Amino acid sequence: MSLHRVGLCGVDDSVDPSLLSAIVSRWPRVELGVLFRPGKEGQPRFPTRRWLEQLAKTARNTSPPAQLAGHLCGSAVDDVLQRGDVAFVQTLVGLGFRRVQLNATAPNGCMTAEDPSLLRKAAQQVQKACAAVPEVEFIVQANDQTEPLWRALLDEPPANLSLLWDASCGRGHTLDASLKTVETTIPQGFAGGLNRDNVATVLDQLRKGTARGRSIWIDMESGLRSDIDGSERFDVNRAWAVCAALDAIGWDDPDAPSPSPVSYDLPPQTTLIKHALAAHKVTLLRDRRTKPRDFRGLLRELSSYVGYEATRSLSTVPRHDCVTPRGVHVPADGRATRLAARCALVPIMRAGLGMVESMQALLPNAAVHQIGMFKRSGSDRPVEYYSRLPKHGGDSCDIAFILDPVVATAKTMTPVIAKLKAWGAHRIVACVILASAEGLRALHEAHPDVEVYAIQVDGRLARDGGLLPGLGDAGDRLFGATGVLSAKDIVANEALEKQLALGATYAWEEAGARPTRPRRPRADSAESLTRVRSEPSTLILGDVSGNTGEIPAPSLTDEAATQLTTHDGSFGPDPCRMRWGATTPSDRGPVLATTRHTTQRNAIGAHAGGYSVYRALAVAAGKIDRDALPQLGLTTPAAKIGPHAAWRNSDAIVTMDPWGHAISEGFGAWLDKGYDVRPTIAITKAHVQLPECLDALRCGRLTPDGSVLTDDGTSVVTKAAIEPVWYLPGVAKRFGVSERVLRDALFAETNSMYPELISRDDLKIFLPPIGGMTAYIWGDASKIEDEDVELTVRVHDECNGSDVFGSDICTCRPYLTHAIEECIKTAQRGGTGVVVYFRKEGRALGEVTKYLVYNMRKRQEGGDRAKEYFNCTQSVAGVQDTRFQALMPDVLHWLGITKIHNFISMSDMKYNAIVESGIKIVNRVEIPPEMVPKDAQVEIAAKVFHGYHAGAGYAGMDEKRLDGVVGREYVPDPSAQRVA
């Protein structure tokens, strides 16, 4: 019999945790037992919260870390027995406890123990608890009183269940070493009246009798207590003496027979390497005391053992040129050979990197292709963060060896195998050190043709999917990163802090179920995505069929893993063609940016810009069918726009898809093939009513005609909503920078939101998470391209405060309504009016920044002065304006505009951008001075002084006149106390 653990129970506030650390450092098989009974915290044997935190910290820092066991009493054990409630157990896990004893007896305050029938029923709840927290070993006291419980559990014992034969129940009754236990394979321990005086004798009796040939543990409590200065305390001297006595008799019995190895029902493609040296090395690998340097060396050695077996059947061919130093030719009869198989090593990073060196020693000519995967807490889908499989070459790989030290759930290895099969590898072999029986079965079910070579198999998985007992996080141990908190550690610590912050009494809250991400059902084939396409209701493109060419079959999203990013030139990404500026939509190809065809995407980002976040919320909440495909037949444009010559010019339009409103018509062949192509432009008709138009009718500025404008002030418009679609080379060219500089800036300033800006130079399309624009058209849209027909245009940048709510601090709404009046008049004269409304709130700095600037303007010394108008924005935002109108003319080119007769804007930046893009402007129309609100004089004066066009009413705006323009001050708000 061997003693694998000795439990010293009842540690409490009476002992300094550092003294307990000294005992554990001297005897690593010591386990510190902590009693928990609600209502007794702070009494002898029951520690306070503060002391428990100190113990947990000391246990972590002890070398090796101390083993902790929680002994649940009172309502704490009743919660588990009656409801399977493991909330407190999970709290203990966060503190480092890995064993929990259920003291289901009346002396320990357990109400359930008073009724044998309740104890019998409690077996189901204990099984539930074992399943809920598989990383914890649950110990059930086995005695006459608890027999209904443990007998019921023996029918189908959980893998993480143990029995403690204890008739004492903490009352000091001496263990009967001759007691008859039951025949079972589950771990067993013994307790009862053990102390420094009798522990050696009792252990010897157990070794010769009941526990002969077993590996057991013993536990003691009362024998470690002493009355010191009138108070009962945990006696460190007694604990030390117990361990010294065990040293004397020996923790291990050299004469005990070796235990029989555990066997599992494994798939036929699994080969276990049964070798004494390998088993010895794996034991060292598992030991938490093994330092990273030694861990790396052990992993290399073990990888060699696995590699030799995994390469046993590699194909060879005769070699005819082998001559020994004696000049003797070696015959090619099986004695002279060379490897014929073309091999690749595929380590799954990080841990698989530790196996590469040994495998390269065996196969020095094998190519190495790394794939990076990691598991996220709370998700059953691994994340692929790196893949450098060459784009081509799979067909030339006869055998791919996947290297990963541990296979637990197989949810990391399964997508890697699928990827290698798609790459073209003819044969795949997995080389691992440890595996779970469950993971091997799952792997075989998904890929029955894949061979697995392993050294040992473990039978349990933790709640987070880790292997038990396992060897910990192989990657962390390999690279010495065990001090780095993972996301799951942080979550656990936050939950623990929340529990422990509730006061000196522990919280007994019910653990909530962990939400899971809704998953899209995997389609069986590409054909399952093909839909019956509704024919478009309107045709607007004319004869632009072009050369559709060969359209590849759509690929399906592989839900087995989440790809963090992709890399150009590597296997997997195969974006559909995109020839920006091609003469027809068929020649160019569609913009693919949905989640349905991840490998064939030719765009970075997602449709709908920032609104894609709301779609993600709908997916997370299970409120949307992720397989739903839009039926586009009845959604086609309500008016004809284009095609125009600028659509075929890769320099003229770089921020929107000119064909984005004609998906059914321009990309029908792709839709019929099963591709999910989404519109980025929608064109409809609408009636617009503005109070200002009614005022204009009453004042006589406008006259109804019954067509463009009705008697009630309603005007009829065509409007087009447009999402941004950026062609990155063209955008970079507009700003006079390289595409690389643009990509780097976008990546950095979005806080690394789009890694493919860096890793995928082959993707030239970007759907930025910004607002789009809307074009409102009064009159006949088809006349826009005719330079002889009058055209009035305003390009307006969003100002929610003024445009919607009528704030008078700026001229935005007055300018907008004035432009609408002019557009109506132009349409009534037979021309066309266009207002383009850009979502560029606060000069594209955002509404929060704009309001901060307002506060600075009003509170600065001297009040809201026109002279400081631009300086305030510069002080708050670091820049005066980020609208950068160089991109603005694209929508005008899309509309077919080549000449503007009336341009309603005071902005010199907008005017210059339009003219420099090749569009002629005849007249610049300013806002009438009487329409400018009083408080907006500050804005308009500052803009005129800096070169804006405002007409004769603001002529002669010099520095002296500018300095005299001051806006109103804030009325003090008593709720916002002014700091002197």
Side-chain angles (χ1 to χ4, degrees):
M1 184 211 77
S2 294
L3 188 63
H4 67 77
R5 193 173 318 205
V6 57
L8 305 181
C9 185
V11 294
D12 57 14
D13 294 46
S14 65
V15 60
D16 189 330
S18 62
L19 298 178
L20 300 175
S21 175
I23 294 176
V24 172
S25 296
R26 175 66 178 82
W27 292 285
R29 298 192 205 185
V30 164
E31 177 183 75
L32 303 176
V34 183
L35 288 160
F36 296 97
R37 184 170 177 176
K40 286 185 173 289
E41 294 87 356
Q43 298 181 26
R45 307 192 191 198
F46 300 97
T48 61
R49 171 180 61 87
R50 186 179 300 278
W51 186 89
L52 181 63
E53 291 174 325
Q54 186 180 358
L55 173 67
K57 182 178 180 180
T58 302
R60 288 195 301 269
N61 295 331
T62 300
S63 181
Q67 302 176 85
L68 301 179
H71 295 234
L72 306 190
C73 307
S75 61
V77 70
D78 280 323
D79 285 344
V80 178
L81 297 177
Q82 296 176 11
R83 301 194 306 275
D85 185 348
V86 293
F88 185 64
V89 174
Q90 290 172 333
T91 300
L92 295 181
V93 171
L95 285 165
F97 287 73
R98 288 300 178 267
R99 295 216 305 168
V100 169
Q101 181 169 310
L102 305 178
N103 293 336
T105 60
N108 285 301
C110 177
M111 301 294 292
T112 311
E114 296 178 2
D115 187 341
S117 64
L118 292 179
L119 274 179
R120 193 174 300 107
K121 292 179 181 178
Q124 294 181 347
Q125 301 303 329
V126 173
Q127 289 176 325
K128 175 182 173 183
C130 289
V133 196
E135 64 266 45
V136 167
E137 180 181 336
F138 284 84
I139 307 165
V140 173
Q141 276 186 330
N143 49 47
D144 292 341
Q145 187 174 9
T146 62
E147 186 170 357
L149 173 62
W150 59 263
R151 284 284 184 191
L153 286 168
L154 289 180
D155 293 338
E156 292 184 31
N160 53 332
L161 180 72
S162 299
L163 290 181
L164 177 70
W165 298 98
D166 180 12
S168 172
C169 303
R171 294 174 296 187
H173 298 171
T174 305
L175 166 69
D176 180 4
S178 64
L179 65 88
K180 298 294 184 181
T181 62
V182 295
E183 290 295 328
T184 178
T185 58
I186 67 175
Q188 299 180 48
F190 297 85
L194 296 175
N195 55 53
R196 60 185 176 182
D197 298 322
N198 67 7
V199 66
T201 302
V202 173
L203 186 62
D204 184 61
Q205 293 172 352
L206 286 171
R207 187 167 283 170
K208 294 176 180 178
T210 301
R212 181 176 176 80
R214 300 182 186 177
S215 176
I216 67 165
W217 85 93
I218 58 174
D219 193 87
M220 61 195 72
E221 178 186 338
S222 297
L224 302 175
R225 312 298 295 186
S226 290
D227 190 334
I228 302 175
D229 297 331
S231 62
E232 181 190 326
R233 296 175 179 246
F234 182 91
D235 193 332
V236 175
N237 292 326
R238 289 184 176 229
W240 190 280
V242 165
C243 295
L246 293 173
D247 261 352
I249 192 174
W251 295 71
D252 298 310
D253 182 1
D255 299 325
S258 298
S260 301
V262 179
S263 61
Y264 298 96
D265 182 18
L266 301 178
Q269 294 292 84
T270 302
T271 300
L272 288 184
I273 301 164
K274 299 177 180 179
H275 193 289
L277 191 56
H280 168 69
K281 298 285 186 182
V282 168
T283 303
L284 296 176
L285 197 71
R286 292 179 185 268
D287 196 326
R288 60 182 174 180
R289 290 170 291 184
T290 300
K291 302 253 186 302
R293 180 185 64 182
D294 300 325
F295 187 92
R296 289 190 291 269
L298 289 165
L299 184 56
R300 284 194 298 268
E301 290 183 66
L302 291 166
S303 300
S304 295
Y305 302 154
V306 176
Y308 274 117
E309 293 298 325
T311 56
R312 179 188 295 273
S313 60
L314 285 183
S315 59
T316 61
V317 295
R319 180 177 166 186
H320 301 279
D321 60 349
C322 181
V323 180
T324 71
R326 290 180 176 271
V328 179
H329 180 269
V330 181
D333 57 0
R335 285 177 285 177
T337 64
R338 65 175 176 82
L339 289 178
R342 297 163 298 179
C343 302
L345 305 179
V346 185
I348 300 179
M349 300 193 297
R350 297 172 299 164
L353 295 176
M355 303 176 70
V356 173
E357 183 179 343
S358 297
M359 292 298 291
Q360 280 185 309
L362 299 176
L363 300 169
N365 296 320
V368 180
H369 307 304
Q370 300 93 339
I371 294 180
M373 287 267 187
F374 70 87
K375 293 185 299 182
R376 292 184 301 156
S377 177
S379 174
D380 59 355
R381 299 175 67 210
V383 175
E384 179 188 304
Y385 64 91
Y386 185 82
S387 174
R388 293 301 280 176
L389 278 178
K391 198 171 191 67
H392 306 288
D395 291 339
S396 62
C397 176
D398 295 316
I399 179 168
F401 294 94
I402 302 177
L403 310 180
D404 196 359
V406 177
V407 171
T409 62
K411 289 178 180 177
T412 297
M413 185 166 286
T414 299
V416 172
I417 293 173
K419 192 180 189 82
L420 289 174
K421 286 183 175 180
W423 181 54
H426 299 294
R427 180 183 165 205
I428 299 172
V429 174
C431 298
V432 304
I433 307 302
L434 295 179
S436 75
E438 179 181 330
L440 291 173
R441 287 191 287 268
L443 196 63
H444 180 71
E445 182 178 348
H447 302 285
D449 56 328
V450 172
E451 306 162 50
V452 180
Y453 288 82
I455 295 178
Q456 286 184 1
V457 173
D458 286 342
R460 289 195 290 138
L461 292 175
R463 188 170 29 136
D464 62 359
L467 192 60
L468 295 175
L471 52 77
D473 188 307
D476 282 351
R477 298 188 65 189
L478 184 67
F479 296 106
T482 51
V484 180
L485 282 178
S486 66
K488 64 183 179 185
D489 294 327
I490 293 171
V491 171
N493 287 347
E494 289 175 349
L496 172 64
E497 289 174 5
K498 181 179 179 182
Q499 291 269 2
L500 295 181
L502 297 177
T505 303
Y506 299 103
W508 315 96
E509 296 179 0
E510 185 172 357
R514 183 188 299 241
T516 57
R517 178 190 176 197
R519 296 190 59 171
R520 172 188 293 149
R522 176 68 185 268
D524 293 329
S525 64
E527 286 71 23
S528 64
L529 288 179
T530 304
R531 58 188 162 188
V532 179
R533 177 170 59 94
S534 302
E535 290 301 317
S537 301
T538 55
L539 298 174
I540 61 172
L541 297 182
D543 184 16
V544 292
S545 57
N547 179 24
T548 300
E550 183 178 352
I551 300 176
S555 67
L556 304 179
T557 297
D558 185 358
E559 290 283 346
T562 298
Q563 281 192 318
L564 192 61
T565 189
T566 54
H567 302 265
D568 54 8
S570 63
F571 171 75
D574 189 18
C576 289
R577 68 172 179 265
M578 171 53 62
R579 305 185 185 100
W580 196 262
T583 56
T584 67
S586 298
D587 292 334
R588 194 203 68 177
V591 173
L592 285 179
T594 65
T595 59
R596 200 176 302 276
H597 318 291
T598 54
T599 62
Q600 293 170 306
R601 280 187 303 110
N602 55 18
I604 303 167
H607 285 293
Y611 291 104
S612 62
V613 175
Y614 290 101
R615 175 181 169 84
L617 291 177
V619 170
K623 301 297 185 182
I624 190 171
D625 179 4
R626 298 184 71 212
D627 270 339
L629 288 166
Q631 301 301 310
L632 303 176
L634 298 178
T635 69
T636 53
K640 185 179 187 303
I641 295 180
H644 299 295
W647 294 15
R648 306 175 181 93
N649 184 340
S650 60
D651 292 329
I653 299 177
V654 299
T655 59
M656 56 182 290
D657 178 6
W659 312 98
H661 57 310
I663 299 302
S664 297
E665 188 176 353
F667 304 107
W670 295 78
L671 296 174
D672 291 339
K673 194 82 173 180
Y675 281 91
D676 186 6
V677 186
R678 301 291 175 100
T680 57
I681 301 173
I683 302 174
T684 189
K685 296 278 190 178
H687 288 188
V688 175
Q689 284 188 331
L690 290 173
E692 287 84 351
C693 287
L694 287 173
D695 290 340
L697 282 173
R698 285 193 291 267
C699 298
R701 295 198 309 271
L702 285 177
T703 303
D705 63 337
S707 175
V708 177
L709 183 67
T710 62
D711 292 338
D712 63 355
T714 299
S715 60
V716 180
V717 300
T718 300
K719 58 182 182 179
I722 304 167
E723 291 179 3
V725 178
W726 286 9
Y727 176 58
L728 291 173
V731 174
K733 187 176 180 180
R734 291 276 180 93
F735 287 96
V737 299
S738 68
E739 184 183 346
R740 172 51 53 207
V741 169
L742 174 65
R743 285 174 175 266
D744 288 349
L746 289 171
F747 176 74
E749 296 306 316
T750 56
N751 273 336
S752 311
M753 188 186 299
Y754 299 99
E756 287 172 330
L757 287 166
I758 301 298
S759 65
R760 293 292 301 279
D761 286 342
D762 60 326
L763 298 182
K764 303 298 183 182
I765 305 300
F766 177 44
L767 277 58
I770 60 175
M773 69 199 85
T774 307
Y776 292 83
I777 303 169
W778 286 263
D780 189 348
S782 65
K783 295 181 180 179
I784 290 177
E785 62 181 337
D786 189 344
E787 292 190 359
D788 295 329
V789 176
E790 183 183 10
L791 178 64
T792 297
V793 172
R794 171 162 177 79
V795 177
H796 187 90
D797 293 327
E798 177 183 28
C799 177
N800 183 63
S802 176
D803 296 343
V804 178
F805 292 97
S807 172
D808 64 351
I809 198 171
C810 62
T811 59
C812 294
R813 183 180 175 95
Y815 234 130
L816 178 61
T817 57
H818 173 58
I820 292 174
E821 284 188 29
E822 294 303 312
C823 286
I824 291 172
K825 293 176 183 177
T826 302
Q828 290 176 327
R829 292 193 293 267
T832 307
V834 175
V835 171
V836 181
Y837 194 88
F838 281 88
R839 269 64 177 194
K840 295 180 181 178
E841 179 65 63
R843 300 185 199 157
L845 293 169
E847 199 163 23
V848 170
T849 298
K850 181 168 75 171
Y851 287 7
L852 295 175
V853 172
Y854 286 170
N855 286 344
M856 174 175 279
R857 283 172 52 187
K858 298 295 184 180
R859 290 170 176 162
Q860 66 183 329
E861 186 177 351
D864 185 9
R865 295 176 294 151
K867 184 178 182 181
E868 297 298 322
Y869 176 82
F870 287 106
N871 292 336
C872 288
T873 306
Q874 181 79 38
S875 297
V876 173
V879 63
Q880 294 183 3
D881 198 325
T882 57
R883 286 174 291 182
F884 300 117
Q885 304 295 349
L887 303 177
M888 174 267 296
D890 286 25
V891 63
L892 306 181
H893 289 291
W894 175 72
L895 290 167
I897 295 175
T898 56
K899 182 180 180 180
I900 298 173
H901 297 82
N902 309 302
F903 181 55
I904 304 180
S905 174
M906 68 185 300
S907 170
D908 56 333
M909 291 186 293
K910 293 177 182 177
Y911 174 85
N912 293 337
I914 292 171
V915 172
E916 289 171 5
S917 76
I919 297 174
K920 299 182 287 289
I921 294 179
V922 180
N923 300 311
R924 299 181 68 178
V925 181
E926 63 274 4
I927 185 173
E930 63 271 16
M931 295 185 70
V932 178
K934 181 179 179 182
D935 205 38
Q937 296 294 336
V938 171
E939 174 199 62
I940 199 165
K943 289 182 175 180
V944 169
F945 180 78
H946 285 86
Y948 281 54
H949 175 80
Y954 291 91
M957 182 61 69
D958 55 19
E959 189 168 353
K960 180 178 180 181
R961 185 178 172 187
L962 177 73
D963 199 33
V965 180
V966 180
R968 67 171 181 267
E969 295 183 0
Y970 281 148
V971 176
D973 189 330
S975 65
Q977 185 177 356
R978 189 66 180 264
V979 180

